[in-house]
Structures are given as C-alpha cells and as structure tokens.
C-alpha cells in the first residue's frame, strides 16, 4: 500500500535542498534527509526519487516568482507596471538565490511548464497594455518586449546574485529599461517617469529579512 503524501514533508525536503544549495553542500539521497526526521523513502514517496526532487525544486523557483509577481499592483500606467514586474524579478532572485540558480537549468524538466510560462505572460500582458494605451508602437511585439525586459533583469541579477559584481550594479536597470521602452515608441520623459515609479532595488538586507 502506497504511503500517503504529507505536503509538509514535501515542503520540508524542498526547503532542505534549497538550504543545501545555498550552503553549496553536495545533495545526495542520504544527505538530503539527514537531520530532517524523515527517511530516504520520503524522497520516493513525494518525488519518485532524486530526479523528481530536482524537477520540484526548479518548479518551486517559478512558483515563488509567480507569487511575487502577484503582489505587484496593476495600475493605470502599464509601463510602470512592466518596470515593477522587472523589479520584482530582481527581488525574487536576490531573496532566493539558491532556487534562482536551478530555475534556468534546462537539463532538468519542469513539473508544470505552463505554470512556469505564466510568469513570462505577466510581462507580456503589461507590454500589451502599454501598446493598447499608445505607449508602445503598433509594430511592437509584446512578447519580444517582455523578453527584452526580462533579459535586462536576468542579466543584471545574474551578475549580482550568482556573479562577481556588487548590488549597486542593479542601478543600471532603470536606464536600460528606459532605453528599450523609448526604442519601442514611448516618449523619453514619460518613460523615465514611469520607470522611476515602478523601479525598486532591494535594500542590502531585504533578502535576509524575508523567510526562505
């Protein structure tokens, strides 16, 4: 008879794996459960083995990103909103650098690809709203603009969260976003004002203040 799945145990193992990633400890079946009070069988019960655990860990990164995006208010200024989503992405990556490293490891399948894709769709919707409001040109492809915005955030935070550059590097974000927004048809001054309203760089200890 199959053992019942306890969501608390699943969460415990994901959090344990994330903590081990953060500490750069090797993750094996035995090291994962060491000190948790659960047996190695729990990994098979909840994830069908270590491969399933890695899939769940990667999915968790996108799940938490989606939850972070859900806290971004939708306003009458879609360019501000697109900027705020980019800032929320930085916040997520700096809060969960362990999960962030796994999120884009394409060697590991995702448990729910559509759910992960939905995070990009949040940016696409904001870009489309900007186009509908006349902020971006009619020839702009919202998906392309969303990817460009995401790429700016991803590039900057990769240099900080998992790279060698200081957090102040993130301050290049507003200038880069303004550049792609104006190139997409927005008025320079209007773009600058919207980006200023939407931009938020996490304070040095923001990520330390939040629970993992």
């Amino acid at each position: 008879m199959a053992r019942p799945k306890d969501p608390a145990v699943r969460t415990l193992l994901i959090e344990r794996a994330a903590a081990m990633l953060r500490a750069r400890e090797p993750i094996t079946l035995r090291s994962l459960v060491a000190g948790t009070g659960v047996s190695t069988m729990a990994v098979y019960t909840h994830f069908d083995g270590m491969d399933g655990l890695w899939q769940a860990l990667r999915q968790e990164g996108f799940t938490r990103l989606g939850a972070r995006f859900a806290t971004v208010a939708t306003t009458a200024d879609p360019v501000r909103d697109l900027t705020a989503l980019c800032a929320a992405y930085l916040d997520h990556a700096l809060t969960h650098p362990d999960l962030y490293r796994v999120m884009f490891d394409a060697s590991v399948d995702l448990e729910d690809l559509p759910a992960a894709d939905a995070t990009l769709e949040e940016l696409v919707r904001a870009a489309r709203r900007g186009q509908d409001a006349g902020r971006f040109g009619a020839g702009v492809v919202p998906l392309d603009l969303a990817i460009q915005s995401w790429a700016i955030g991803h590039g900057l935070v990769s240099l900080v969260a998992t790279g060698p550059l200081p957090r102040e590097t993130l301050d290049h974000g507003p200038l880069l976003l303004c550049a792609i927004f104006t190139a997409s048809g927005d008025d320079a001054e209007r773009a600058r004002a919207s980006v200023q309203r939407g931009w938020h760089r996490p304070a040095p200890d923001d990520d330390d203040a939040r629970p993992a």
Side-chain angles (χ1 to χ4, degrees):
M1 181 177 180
R3 297 187 180 186
K5 294 184 179 182
D6 182 351
V9 172
R10 187 181 192 278
T11 299
L12 170 68
L13 292 173
I14 288 176
E15 295 288 358
R16 166 69 174 159
M20 293 177 73
L21 280 175
R22 189 161 52 245
R24 301 187 182 279
E25 298 176 11
I27 301 177
T28 65
L29 186 62
R30 292 190 180 280
S31 67
L32 176 65
V33 301
T36 64
V38 301
S39 70
T40 55
M41 185 55 65
V43 180
Y44 292 95
T45 299
H46 293 277
F47 308 105
D48 294 325
M50 290 298 290
D51 287 345
L53 170 73
W54 284 109
Q55 291 176 11
L57 197 61
R58 187 181 178 205
Q59 191 75 43
E60 184 69 14
F62 285 99
T63 298
R64 295 190 188 188
L65 176 60
R68 181 64 184 85
F69 278 176
T71 69
V72 176
T74 299
T75 72
D77 183 347
V79 179
R80 173 267 171 204
D81 297 349
L82 182 53
T83 300
L85 288 168
C86 292
Y89 177 80
L90 302 182
D91 189 47
H92 164 76
L94 292 172
T95 303
H96 305 292
D98 36 23
L99 296 176
Y100 175 72
R101 284 194 292 269
V102 179
M103 285 172 65
F104 301 101
D105 182 358
S107 68
V108 177
D109 291 334
L110 284 161
E111 291 181 318
D112 187 348
L113 180 58
D117 286 344
T119 55
L120 175 59
E121 185 58 30
E122 292 284 346
L123 279 77
V124 175
R125 278 195 289 269
R128 186 177 296 116
R129 287 177 51 232
Q131 187 176 52
D132 292 342
R135 299 289 297 272
F136 305 132
V140 170
V141 178
L143 175 60
D144 290 346
L145 182 54
I147 291 173
Q148 291 162 10
S149 303
W150 188 309
I152 287 173
H154 184 72
L156 288 173
V157 83
S158 294
L159 293 170
V160 174
T162 60
L165 296 186
R167 191 177 293 245
E168 289 73 21
T169 303
L170 302 178
D171 291 338
H172 295 298
L175 179 63
L176 295 171
L177 288 173
C178 282
I180 65 167
F181 294 159
T182 55
S184 298
D186 202 9
D187 173 77
E189 288 302 320
R190 199 175 182 190
R192 188 175 299 111
S194 293
V195 169
Q196 185 175 11
R197 285 193 293 269
W199 184 256
H200 161 70
R201 175 167 69 83
D205 58 354
D206 270 9
D207 47 313
D208 297 327
R210 292 188 182 88

